Amino acid sequence: MASFSVHSAVVRGAEAVDVCVEVSFTAGIPGVHIVGMPDTSVHEAVARVRCAMNSCGFTMPRANVTVNLAPGEIKKTGTGLDLPIAVAILACSKQIPPDGLDDCLFVGELDLNGGVTPVRGTVAFALLASEKGLAFVHAREDPQGWLVSERERSIQALSQLRRGVDALGTYAVSGSVAMEANCGSRRCCELDFADVVDQEVAKRALVIAAAGSHGVLMVGPPGAGKTMLARRIPTILPSLSAEDRVEAMLLHSVAGEPLDDLEAGGRPFRAPHHSVSSVGLIGGGHPVTPGEISLAHKGVLFLDELPEFNNLTLQALRQPLEDRRVRIVRADGTYVFPADFMFVAAANPCPCGHLGDPGHTCTCTPARIQAYQAKMCGPLIDRIDVFIDVARPSSRKVIRGSEGLSSELMAEQVAAAREYRSWRSARQRGSGNGLSAVAMEDRAREVLETLADRKGFGGRGIARVASVARTIADLAEHEVIGAEEVVEACSYRPRSE
C-alpha cells in the first residue's frame, strides 16, 4: 500500500480552512473514491482530474485510489481541490518527484486539457499559506501588487498541469509571504464632484458625512443629482490602509468578485438593485458567502430608491449598522463577516417625485404620499445621521456648466477633519464616554436643549445631532463645539422632526 498527502484549503465564510489531501492506493477494483464530506463539485473532480492527467501525458493508476480530505468533519465545497488531488495522485504513483511538495499549498481547478484555472478565495488562500509558511501554488498569474515576496520567496503560478509539475521538483521554499497594499494614486473611478452642478449645500453635507462616517439619506425630485452625488463619495474618502485593503480584498475574493478597483486604490462602492433579497444584501446561501453589506466593507453602500426596497430586507440592516459586522448562524456553525461601511440612501419625496418641486406639480394623493413616506420611517432611518434635501439644479447653471467644489478640495477637507479628530481623541482620551463627555460651549448646550424640545428629539436624535456637530467642529478645527455647529447639525435632521 502506498500513500501521499499534500496541503490544500477550502473557503469557509470569509476565511480559508486548511485541508490535507491524502491519497492511498490499495488492491481491489480500480477506481477513485473521495471521502471526507465532499460536496457534488468535489465528487466531480474525479472526472476532471482523469481527463487532465491523460491530456498531459500522465496515467491514472489502475488501483483502488482513496482520496481523504481531512479533517473529515468540515464540509468541502468548490473546485479548488482538483489540483491538489491530481498532484497527490501523481506523486503517490511516482509519476512526479515528491521533493518540495510538502512545502506548498495547492489550490486550483483543472480543465479537461490539463489547464489550471483560478477559483474564488485566492486572497484567503494566500493569507493561509503565509500564516503556515507554505508556498501558494495556484492558477493566477503574477498578482498586480497585492501579493509580494519576502526573503526571495516567490508565488508559484501554474497555467498548465504538465509544465507546472515539471518545475515543482526543484522549487525551494524560504521566508514568508506578506500581504501589502498597492498604494496607487489612481481612483477606482474617474468621477469628480465638479461635474455635479448647483449642489454646493449637498456637497457640504457629504463632506461632513464622509469626515465622520455618518449615514446619509438624500431626498429630492428625479434628476436632481442624488445618484451622481452618491457615486462620487468614494473619491473624497481617504485611501485605504494596508490592513483595510487586505480585509476588503479578502471579502471580494471569497465572493468571487473582481479585485481590479481595490488593487487600483479605490474604496468599494456597492449599489444593489431594490429587488435584492435579504440573503443577497446581508449574506448567506449555500455555501455561505458575504452579502452586499460586507462587500461594501471600508467603502460605501448606496441604496437608491430606498422606499422601493422590501421592508424586511431594510430592517435586517439595523444590527450591522450598529455592530459593524454581521453574524449568520447556520446548522454547521456561525459565520461572521465584517460590515463597516458608510451607509448612503436616496429617495423621492413622493411616488411621482415632484412633491415640493416648484417647477412641477405633484399628482399623488395624500394617502399615497403618506404611505410612501412611511417607508422612510422607523428604526433604520433612526440610525441615519445626515438628511439632505436635494433641490433641482438651476437650468442656467447646468447649461452654462458652472463648477463648484471638486473632489480634490472636498477630499482635502475630509482628510484634515479626520486628522484633527485623531489628534483631539488622543488629547481627550480618558475624559469619559457619552454626551456628557462631549466638549460643548454653554451657549451650544442651551441651543441644543431648545431645539431638542422644539423639534421633539428623542435620546438617539440628540446623540446624532451631537455627533454631527462634533464632526462639523472637527472640520473647523474647533476643540469645543459651538452654537453654530449645533444649529448646522440640526439642519441635517429630517423635516418630520
Side-chain angles (χ1 to χ4, degrees):
M1 180 179 70
S3 62
F4 193 82
S5 64
V6 298
H7 297 283
S8 186
V10 294
V11 172
R12 186 183 187 277
E15 62 181 2
V17 179
D18 186 32
V19 172
C20 181
V21 179
E22 301 173 324
V23 171
S24 177
F25 296 162
T26 59
I29 300 175
V32 180
H33 307 281
I34 301 179
V35 297
M37 290 188 68
D39 71 348
T40 303
S41 61
V42 179
H43 274 299
E44 293 174 347
V46 175
R48 290 191 295 269
V49 168
R50 179 181 287 108
C51 291
M53 291 173 60
N54 291 335
S55 298
C56 295
F58 299 111
T59 58
M60 179 66 73
R62 294 187 60 79
N64 190 312
V65 181
T66 300
V67 179
N68 180 40
L69 308 177
E73 61 183 8
I74 299 176
K75 184 73 172 179
K76 315 302 187 305
T77 62
T79 57
L81 294 172
D82 291 5
L83 178 60
I85 290 175
V87 170
I89 292 176
L90 292 175
C92 189
S93 60
K94 304 294 192 296
Q95 297 184 64
I96 62 173
D99 300 335
L101 299 184
D102 290 340
D103 298 323
C104 300
L105 186 144
F106 297 89
V107 177
E109 178 183 344
L110 296 176
D111 61 31
L112 301 186
N113 294 321
V116 184
T117 58
V119 296
R120 68 180 184 92
T122 302
V123 176
F125 297 134
L127 288 173
L128 178 64
S130 174
E131 180 182 323
K132 292 185 171 294
L134 301 173
F136 179 33
V137 184
H138 62 135
R140 182 171 177 167
E141 297 299 331
D142 186 30
Q144 303 173 8
W146 57 271
L147 278 174
V148 298
S149 60
E150 291 184 351
R151 304 179 190 175
E152 301 178 353
R153 169 74 172 280
S154 64
I155 304 297
Q156 184 76 23
L158 302 182
S159 60
Q160 215 272 346
L161 182 62
R162 171 79 260 182
R163 293 193 297 270
V165 297
D166 287 344
L168 287 176
T170 59
Y171 184 68
V173 178
S174 62
S176 60
V177 177
M179 297 289 293
E180 291 187 358
N182 177 18
C183 299
S185 59
R186 187 174 69 86
R187 295 285 182 179
C188 62
C189 53
E190 298 178 355
L191 301 175
D192 198 301
F193 271 104
D195 302 330
V196 185
V197 179
D198 196 26
Q199 294 294 357
E200 301 310 299
V201 175
K203 291 180 184 180
R204 164 67 177 178
L206 291 179
V207 167
I208 296 170
S213 298
H214 300 296
V216 178
L217 173 60
M218 295 180 286
V219 180
K226 302 186 294 295
T227 303
M228 291 182 65
L229 290 167
R231 291 191 177 278
R232 284 158 175 76
I233 292 177
T235 65
I236 65 175
L237 295 174
S239 300
L240 288 172
S241 64
E243 182 179 356
D244 292 343
R245 174 96 34 101
V246 171
E247 288 184 7
M249 293 180 66
L250 172 63
L251 291 165
H252 280 68
S253 177
V254 300
E257 294 284 326
L259 305 177
D260 297 340
D261 288 344
L262 294 173
E263 289 175 347
R267 284 181 178 260
F269 180 85
R270 307 296 298 188
H273 190 260
H274 59 76
S275 62
V276 65
S277 65
S278 296
V279 172
L281 188 64
I282 305 301
H286 180 74
V288 177
T289 54
E292 291 290 330
I293 63 172
S294 294
L295 296 177
H297 181 61
K298 300 302 180 182
V300 178
L301 176 68
F302 176 51
L303 301 186
D304 201 1
E305 303 294 343
L306 185 67
E308 302 298 333
F309 282 77
N310 182 277
N311 186 60
L312 294 178
T313 301
L314 290 178
Q315 296 310 317
L317 283 172
R318 291 159 52 185
Q319 184 177 357
L321 282 172
E322 294 287 342
D323 298 341
R324 299 297 178 182
R325 63 176 183 172
V326 58
R327 293 172 56 89
I328 301 174
V329 180
R330 294 291 183 267
D332 60 342
T334 301
Y335 300 80
V336 180
F337 297 111
D340 185 6
F341 56 88
M342 179 178 173
F343 180 64
V344 181
N348 295 330
C350 66
C352 75
H354 299 304
L355 180 66
D357 188 355
H360 297 79
T361 302
C362 177
T363 59
C364 303
T365 63
R368 288 189 64 199
I369 295 175
Q370 184 177 4
Y372 185 84
Q373 294 183 349
K375 297 180 180 180
M376 293 186 287
C377 299
L380 176 63
I381 301 301
D382 199 31
R383 287 167 170 79
I384 295 178
D385 301 331
V386 179
F387 294 79
I388 309 173
D389 286 326
V390 182
R392 190 180 300 278
S394 168
S395 301
R396 179 181 180 182
K397 293 183 178 180
V398 172
I399 295 172
R400 296 194 177 187
S402 62
E403 292 187 1
L405 280 175
S406 64
S407 291
E408 182 178 1
L409 294 176
M410 295 170 67
E412 291 176 358
Q413 296 177 17
V414 172
R418 291 195 174 203
E419 183 178 357
Y420 181 81
R421 181 180 62 184
S422 298
W423 171 85
R424 176 183 54 78
S425 299
R427 179 183 175 89
Q428 298 176 350
R429 186 170 298 158
S431 59
N433 298 317
L435 188 59
S436 60
V438 177
M440 188 178 297
E441 296 177 353
D442 293 339
R443 175 59 180 163
R445 291 187 184 277
E446 294 175 1
V447 171
L448 180 56
E449 291 175 5
T450 301
L451 292 175
D453 292 338
R454 182 181 303 172
K455 294 179 173 291
F457 291 162
R460 192 191 296 271
I462 294 175
R464 300 290 182 189
V465 171
S467 176
V468 175
R470 179 62 268 173
T471 302
I472 297 173
D474 289 338
L475 281 166
E477 297 189 355
H478 293 166
E479 194 168 353
V480 179
I481 299 175
E484 293 182 358
E485 284 88 4
V486 172
V487 172
E488 183 177 1
C490 288
S491 69
Y492 297 125
R493 296 306 300 168
R495 294 179 181 178
S496 60
E497 294 182 347

